[in-house]
Amino acid sequence: MAAATLLSTRILTSPQTVKASDYPVVRTSKVTYIYTKQGDLVKNRALQANTDWRMGKQILINDEYYDQVATNEYVKDSEVYDPSIQQQNIQFHLAGRVVGGNADLFDTSINRISSRKLAEGSEWAVSKAVINQNGVIFYKISKTEWVPSNHMWLNNLATITYDAGFGLTANDNNNNSNTNTGTNTNTNNNNTSTNTNTSKPTRVELPKDAVRSAILKSVNDERASLGVAPLQETPGLTQTAVTRANEIVQSFSHTRPNGSDCFSAFDENGLSYHAAAENIDEEIGGNGSTPEQLATAVMKSFKDEPGHAHYNSVVSSTYNYIGISSNYDATTDRYYIAQDFIGM
């Protein structure tokens, strides 16, 4: 499962042709989908998060209000807000959804898995995340209860705290530690020997070229299944993806570590285009024991997300070129994947 995915598109920019006093302003708080005046989803466009838009008229479609942001382009009124009202400090709480069956709970009050389980599909507020010495991540959902990360998908990135010994007694599939301690005492010789052997999972990064090829094949196979022409790689776009895959390990965002947006990396590599988009994805290493399995996990995360924004970029005929790169962080056992698209 993907820990997090983010989409950015460079198709629309804030309108500049109206006076500030002509129309009220609405602000997006997340990547916001666009609809026609008939209520049909515009599949190759989206408004970036935290951007302001002059609002034209408001229409009602199927008992839901839509705000006009361009000619025949509308957003749901429920997905934007008036920045002049005191809503600037909206807090986005970290939450998780139980996936992969009912989830066991590690209870710190008894230091083991409890008899209680969380139902698949249920959603819980998450207050903390911890990773132990074996790379197993736990999410805190109550005072003493923690869910292993293989059973929970988060709505956003979590700040993970390292605690080497946390959860080592949990009887969880992700806990692969093997510790054998033997003590032999011979009282006649007064010799005591203690042998301890602790083995930890070996983490080896998959070859980057193999990962890139597997993801490209997965993308083009998906496009072929829909009758869409395959995407081609270009050196400049591949280098853009390499840059971005390195950067998102530091900051998982479409804003680069230097504060500029992701598309400045496109410009640095001399790319010209009429449309561009970026998908970034974070996968737990266990999802990618082979390049093909990692590619499958990436595609599944895009197809499973509500709204299919990332998937739409993958299969959109607007784009005809792609750059792909991955980066592996051994400290957290996570892969960071960048997919950069352009249409020419």
Side-chain angles (χ1 to χ4, degrees), residues 241 244-245 248 278-281 323-326 336-340:
R244 293 292 297 131
I248 60 177
E278 176 177 88
N279 287 349
I280 59 177
D281 186 35
I324 302 166
S325 187
S326 65
Y336 293 84
I337 296 99
Q339 296 179 343
D340 292 306

Side-chain angles (χ1 to χ4, degrees), residues 206-215 291-292:
L206 297 171
K208 291 182 184 292
D209 285 346
V211 170
R212 191 188 79 248
S213 296
I215 292 176
E292 290 73 24

Side-chain angles (χ1 to χ4, degrees), residues 30-255:
K30 60 182 180 179
V31 174
T32 303
Y33 301 125
I34 300 170
Y35 301 84
T36 67
K37 63 183 179 182
Q38 289 77 30
D40 298 324
L41 177 67
V42 177
K43 295 183 178 180
N44 64 346
R45 310 184 186 192
L47 304 187
Q48 292 191 27
N50 303 313
T51 54
D52 291 349
W53 298 81
R54 300 292 175 195
M55 188 183 99
K57 62 184 178 180
Q58 189 174 74
I59 60 175
L60 187 64
I61 305 174
N62 296 328
D63 297 323
E64 185 168 9
Y65 284 102
Y66 289 72
D67 300 334
Q68 185 182 30
V69 293
T71 304
N72 198 29
E73 291 178 336
Y74 296 79
V75 295
K76 291 183 178 180
D77 184 68
S78 60
E79 295 182 353
V80 295
Y81 65 96
D82 182 351
S84 66
I85 302 175
Q86 298 301 315
Q87 295 184 9
Q88 291 90 334
N89 295 321
I90 294 176
Q91 297 295 318
F92 295 94
H93 298 289
L94 192 64
R97 179 182 301 157
V98 177
V99 297
N102 296 338
D104 290 327
L105 288 169
F106 178 69
D107 192 326
T108 54
S109 67
I110 57 176
N111 204 31
R112 59 180 171 82
I113 295 294
S114 71
S115 59
R116 196 166 87 91
K117 292 180 181 289
L118 300 185
E120 181 176 17
S122 61
E123 297 184 351
W124 301 82
V126 173
S127 61
K128 190 175 181 181
V130 167
I131 184 171
N132 66 21
Q133 67 184 34
N134 295 320
V136 181
I137 299 172
F138 294 84
Y139 299 130
K140 186 176 184 179
I141 56 97
S142 73
K143 185 176 180 180
T144 64
E145 293 176 319
W146 301 69
V147 183
S149 63
N150 66 316
H151 273 298
M152 180 161 279
W153 178 86
L154 298 187
N155 65 342
N156 210 332
L157 283 178
T159 299
I160 301 175
T161 303
Y162 180 74
D163 185 339
F166 187 89
L168 295 182
T169 57
N171 183 22
D172 184 82
N173 290 335
N174 277 341
N175 190 345
N176 295 320
S177 61
N178 180 20
T179 303
N180 297 311
T181 302
T183 302
N184 300 311
T185 303
N186 185 333
T187 56
N188 293 328
N189 295 321
N190 295 321
N191 293 324
T192 301
S193 63
T194 300
N195 299 315
T196 301
N197 179 28
T198 301
S199 60
K200 297 180 181 179
T202 301
R203 297 169 176 167
V204 179
E205 181 177 8
L206 297 171
K208 291 182 184 292
D209 285 346
V211 170
R212 191 188 79 248
S213 296
I215 292 176
L216 178 63
K217 183 178 186 302
S218 174
V219 166
N220 281 336
D221 284 351
E222 191 67 25
R223 291 170 69 91
S225 71
L226 299 174
V228 182
L231 295 172
Q232 304 295 323
E233 293 180 291
T234 70
L237 201 50
T238 297
Q239 183 55 52
T240 299
V242 169
T243 298
R244 293 292 297 131
N246 290 336
E247 291 177 343
I248 60 177
V249 176
Q250 306 171 51
S251 175
F252 191 77
S253 169
H254 293 297
T255 299

Side-chain angles (χ1 to χ4, degrees), residues 258-321:
N258 65 7
S260 62
D261 68 35
C262 62
F263 298 111
S264 64
F266 289 57
D267 301 334
E268 288 170 5
N269 285 288
L271 299 172
S272 60
Y273 48 85
H274 73 264
E278 176 177 88
N279 287 349
I280 59 177
D281 186 35
E282 180 188 26
E283 293 288 338
I284 298 171
N287 287 335
S289 56
T290 68
E292 290 73 24
Q293 288 173 327
L294 179 58
T296 298
V298 173
M299 182 64 73
K300 185 177 187 301
S301 70
F302 293 162
K303 294 179 75 171
D304 287 352
E305 74 168 336
H308 307 295
H310 297 83
Y311 181 72
N312 288 340
S313 291
V314 168
V315 300
S316 173
S317 60
T318 298
Y319 309 114
N320 42 25
Y321 294 97

Side-chain angles (χ1 to χ4, degrees), residues 324-337:
I324 302 166
S325 187
S326 65
N327 207 337
Y328 178 66
D329 184 354
T331 61
T332 60
D333 191 31
R334 293 183 182 234
Y335 281 91
Y336 293 84
I337 296 99

